[in-house]
Amino acid sequence: MINIVVAQASFIAALMFYMGVIYTSAYYGHFHLSPFFLGFGFAEFVLQSLHLMTFPVLVGAVVLLIAVAISGRRPRQALPGGLVRVASLGTSVLARYYLVVVVAGLVLVVLWWVWQLLLPYRWLGPLLIGLGLLLGEARRIDVDHTPRGLRDTAVPIFAAGVFLLWTVTLAAGQLGEQDARNAERDVIQRTGLVVFSAKRLGLTSRSPDLHFEDLGNSVHLRYRYTGLRLIAARDGRYYAVPIGWSAKTDHVYVLREADGMRIELTPGVQ
């Protein structure tokens, strides 16, 4: 029992780490950064994977749990007979036409790969292929009651696992890109930076909201910069962008607090 629990926990942790890497790479890649350059660790990648726990994902997990409960013998008796019959009929129909599900997934993959169509739903093709392969394997078990070799069962299950992992990869990357675009659009709401420096930093931008002010010779940190928003802060370095930042044309500033520089954090403008 302990070995089973440890194995399952290790698999879940590895999957969360993988999803966290894909998500953070897509998110910070939009800002021309890399999570490995920022020094993210294993625990941080695992925590970042929690961004994938969106409402559609939770609904899908609940539906999957209900389907598993219906397929069992004991839980089936506790559920309404109509629900069991409808679920069993739907599963049997899908299993009977599993090749149609696989072909539909292949068509979606080709449409995305060749014509770049259905980009918001590019994960749907691999998902249908993986589910179709699993449905086909379930149908063979129900129809053919004779024992099957390990190779006959391992190959389709492994292929389905590969396509489902591809689905997770595409979904995590797409969610990271979407969250990064939302952060770019609402960058004014992020934590603000006020930079005081003894020397001019030469921060330039197309944005009119990036302001520079000379406080005079009587002030040690005489140069004051405002209009910056924080993207990440790691190991004494602040990664900031100006208000109105664009991923296609603008730079990301890397600032490090030192004796000749002071950085103050302010609330973002709502």
Side-chain angles (χ1 to χ4, degrees):
M1 180 66 68
I2 294 177
N3 292 334
I4 294 175
V5 171
V6 171
Q8 292 179 350
S10 301
F11 174 77
I12 293 174
L15 182 60
M16 294 181 67
F17 170 77
Y18 176 77
M19 292 188 299
V21 170
I22 299 300
Y23 174 85
T24 53
S25 297
Y27 182 89
Y28 288 104
H30 184 79
F31 296 98
H32 319 308
L33 299 171
S34 169
F36 299 101
F37 175 74
L38 296 175
F40 276 65
F42 178 85
E44 292 172 299
F45 281 122
V46 171
L47 292 176
Q48 289 292 327
S49 68
L50 297 178
H51 286 88
L52 276 72
M53 298 303 160
T54 58
F55 180 76
V57 173
L58 295 178
V59 171
V62 172
V63 172
L64 180 61
L65 291 176
I66 293 176
V68 172
I70 292 175
S71 63
R73 293 182 179 179
R74 294 180 181 177
R76 182 181 300 178
Q77 298 175 358
L79 294 172
L83 179 61
V84 173
R85 287 193 296 271
V86 171
S88 300
L89 179 62
T91 304
S92 61
V93 170
L94 288 176
R96 186 180 305 171
Y97 299 101
Y98 73 96
L99 286 178
V100 177
V101 179
V102 174
V103 171
L106 288 174
V107 171
L108 292 178
V109 170
V110 171
L111 289 177
W112 163 58
W113 191 271
V114 177
W115 293 293
Q116 297 294 312
L117 297 178
L118 303 173
L119 281 179
Y121 306 98
R122 55 182 181 267
W123 49 267
L124 187 58
L127 177 62
L128 290 178
I129 296 175
L131 292 180
L133 293 175
L134 292 179
L135 289 172
E137 188 62 23
R139 181 176 181 275
R140 293 189 187 97
I141 294 176
D142 293 336
V143 174
D144 188 6
H145 299 285
T146 59
R148 302 179 62 199
L150 179 61
R151 181 180 301 176
D152 296 334
T153 58
V155 171
I157 292 178
F158 175 78
V162 170
F163 282 104
L164 293 178
L165 183 62
W166 187 13
T167 302
V168 171
T169 303
L170 293 176
Q174 178 180 341
L175 184 59
E177 294 175 1
Q178 179 181 345
D179 290 347
R181 288 194 296 268
N182 294 337
E184 177 187 354
R185 184 181 64 250
D186 302 327
V187 70
I188 193 174
Q189 300 180 11
R190 301 182 69 90
T191 301
L193 274 77
V194 179
V195 182
F196 296 89
S197 176
K199 298 180 180 180
R200 297 194 62 170
L201 301 178
L203 300 181
T204 58
S205 174
R206 299 182 301 105
S207 174
D209 297 301
L210 180 59
H211 300 291
F212 163 75
E213 183 180 0
D214 189 352
L215 303 180
N217 295 327
S218 60
V219 182
H220 174 59
L221 302 178
R222 59 181 295 183
Y223 301 107
R224 182 174 182 263
Y225 295 88
T226 58
L228 295 172
R229 291 297 182 264
L230 181 66
I231 299 300
R234 305 287 301 182
D235 299 330
R237 290 183 174 87
Y238 298 84
Y239 302 85
V241 297
I243 298 175
W245 182 83
S246 175
K248 296 181 179 180
T249 57
D250 294 336
H251 305 281
V252 176
Y253 302 120
V254 183
L255 306 173
R256 185 171 184 176
E257 198 169 21
D259 294 337
M261 181 186 298
R262 184 177 78 246
I263 298 176
E264 298 179 357
L265 304 180
T266 63
V269 177
Q270 301 296 327

